[in-house]
Amino acid sequence: MATINNSSSESNQSESDHVQVPVYTSTSQLLEKLQGKWNSGKKQPYPAMYSSIFGGITLDPAMMVIPIDDHMVHRGHGVFDTAMILDGFLYELDVHLDRFLRSASMAKISSPFPRSTLRSILIQLTAVSQCRKGSLRYWLSAGPGNFLLSSAGLPTSAFYAVVIDADYNQCKEGVKVVTSTVPMKSPLFATMKNVNYLPNVLSVMEAEKKGAFASIWVDEEGYIAEGPNVNVAFISKDKELLMPFFDKILSGCTAKRLLQLAPKLVEQGLLKSVKTANITLEQAKSSSEMMFIGSSLPILPIIMWDEQPIGDGEVGKLTMALSDLLWDDMVAGSEAQRIPVPYV
């Protein structure tokens, strides 16, 4: 009986497993290594970051880091929110900031600063970044200090914010979606904008695997919920704008703004009504138009769901009329919605 000599393969495996790990004994040496990853000559996507850990703003992307023992990292104990930057204005910053602090209260995280200070930091950060189109994302964390579950022993909470330089425009092309098989979050966590986005990530990956843009969650009662990081809305055959109730899903700032603006189309006779409601899967799939609603879209037409066309399978006229309402509000809305950034 023949035998196989594994000594050679085992030796090769042993050699390949042996990796010499560099040890950086100098901070300057490590910083040089980190900065080397960003010095490619390309435009930096993150022009500025604020951290309450070092109490200021950095323009060096290599230093845009948070401590490994921050409870937001290893326990997911943190919340976040985002405001869009368009043509040198921050859109709906105050609305997003209010939701941010509600989420923090639900997550039992106290801010290290009053609301007015948080707001001032965010506006100053955007100004220093020189970014005129992109997004401003910010987090409240239970803070760094240990690797325990409880945040009781932590010295203080932490506030982080980063400006993301990105070009975005009004979405005019339709996308495909699927019904998610990934369990949706319970109402407590779905209504709180927290950093635990693994269900959201898995639902998007599921959709992409099926050749779709994103997925739609349907709750246990069979009612439409939301997308992975967007709200969803429908135009019924009777020309009603319908959105799911916000009691079990995230209260979208852009979706709520659309509910305030859409009655203009009712006045023009284009829409019959605007309302939130429990929407069944059957009702949703039989709608004449469908759309995602989110800060950076602001509306994304949906033309196919689970390989079935929505309406005639084309981008709807009312969807685009609603998109125009939101986009015009972002570009030329009132001072209540648009805060001018005092660039240096």
Side-chain angles (χ1 to χ4, degrees):
M1 183 176 181
T3 60
I4 300 175
N5 186 348
N6 289 324
S7 60
S8 177
S9 61
E10 289 175 356
S11 174
N12 291 338
Q13 182 68 41
S14 176
E15 290 176 4
S16 64
D17 285 348
H18 181 72
V19 177
Q20 188 64 43
V21 180
V23 178
Y24 298 101
T25 58
S26 163
T27 302
S28 59
Q29 188 181 26
L30 178 58
L31 180 58
E32 182 181 356
K33 179 74 173 180
L34 291 172
Q35 289 175 330
K37 292 181 176 293
W38 291 99
N39 293 334
S40 62
K42 297 180 180 179
K43 185 178 180 180
Q44 300 296 353
Y46 319 124
M49 175 196 175
Y50 172 87
S51 170
S52 64
I53 300 302
F54 54 76
I57 296 170
T58 178
L59 306 182
D60 185 347
M63 300 305 296
M64 296 178 187
V65 296
I66 63 176
I68 191 64
D69 64 348
D70 190 302
H71 279 227
M72 186 167 68
V73 175
H74 64 85
R75 297 302 179 196
H77 195 176
V79 298
F80 77 102
D81 221 301
T82 306
M84 303 310 295
I85 308 166
L86 182 59
D87 297 336
F89 287 81
L90 280 163
Y91 183 67
E92 290 218 297
L93 174 62
D94 289 308
V95 175
H96 284 271
L97 191 52
D98 288 341
R99 183 177 64 178
F100 178 62
L101 292 174
R102 287 196 301 271
S103 294
S105 177
M106 294 172 70
K108 303 188 186 312
I109 302 173
S110 298
S111 172
F113 311 116
R115 183 190 185 283
S116 58
T117 301
L118 295 176
R119 187 179 189 274
S120 177
I121 289 170
L122 292 173
I123 293 174
Q124 289 181 63
L125 174 67
T126 308
V128 170
S129 76
Q130 295 298 310
C131 176
R132 295 178 181 272
K133 196 173 188 181
S135 62
L136 171 64
R137 187 166 297 187
Y138 39 98
W139 297 260
L140 265 179
S141 161
N146 57 47
F147 287 95
L148 303 177
L149 275 172
S150 173
S151 60
L154 300 179
T156 183
S157 57
F159 178 59
Y160 307 103
V162 67
V163 172
I164 304 169
D165 192 318
D167 188 22
Y168 63 95
N169 294 285
Q170 192 176 6
C171 299
K172 297 184 179 181
E173 300 296 323
V175 299
K176 300 178 182 180
V177 298
V178 296
T179 302
S180 180
T181 64
V182 177
M184 63 180 289
K185 298 175 184 177
S186 67
L188 173 64
F189 298 109
T191 56
M192 177 200 320
K193 198 169 178 68
N194 61 84
V195 298
N196 296 292
Y197 259 48
L198 185 56
N200 311 60
V201 170
L202 294 177
S203 70
V204 168
M205 292 177 69
E206 175 186 41
E208 291 175 342
K209 188 175 181 180
K210 295 179 179 179
F213 174 80
S215 56
I216 304 289
W217 271 308
V218 180
D219 68 22
E220 294 179 351
E221 298 178 80
Y223 295 126
I224 304 304
E226 61 184 339
N229 63 343
V230 284
N231 291 103
V232 62
F234 306 87
I235 303 293
S236 72
K237 287 185 170 62
D238 294 329
K239 295 188 176 181
E240 292 182 303
L241 173 61
L242 302 173
M243 283 189 210
F245 286 125
F246 296 112
D247 55 342
K248 296 180 182 178
I249 61 175
L250 188 67
S251 178
C253 295
T254 307
K256 287 195 164 184
R257 182 59 180 159
L258 182 61
L259 289 173
Q260 295 171 348
L261 294 171
K264 293 180 180 179
L265 297 188
V266 177
E267 295 170 5
Q268 297 171 19
L270 298 176
L271 282 177
K272 178 182 177 181
S273 63
V274 177
K275 63 182 181 180
T276 55
N278 284 323
I279 306 166
T280 66
L281 185 60
E282 183 180 359
Q283 285 177 301
K285 287 194 172 183
S286 65
S287 60
S288 61
E289 299 181 34
M290 179 178 176
M291 67 205 79
F292 277 141
I293 308 169
S295 296
S296 63
L297 302 173
I299 284 180
L300 177 62
I302 297 171
I303 58 174
M304 187 168 288
W305 187 354
D306 290 336
E307 300 302 326
Q308 298 178 11
I310 297 296
D312 60 6
E314 302 292 334
V315 174
K317 292 181 179 179
L318 288 174
T319 296
M320 291 314 302
L322 291 166
S323 179
D324 289 340
L325 277 179
L326 271 174
W327 190 255
D328 290 345
D329 196 55
M330 294 176 71
V331 172
S334 70
E335 292 182 1
Q337 273 69 47
R338 300 169 71 242
I339 298 173
V341 179
Y343 295 101
V344 178

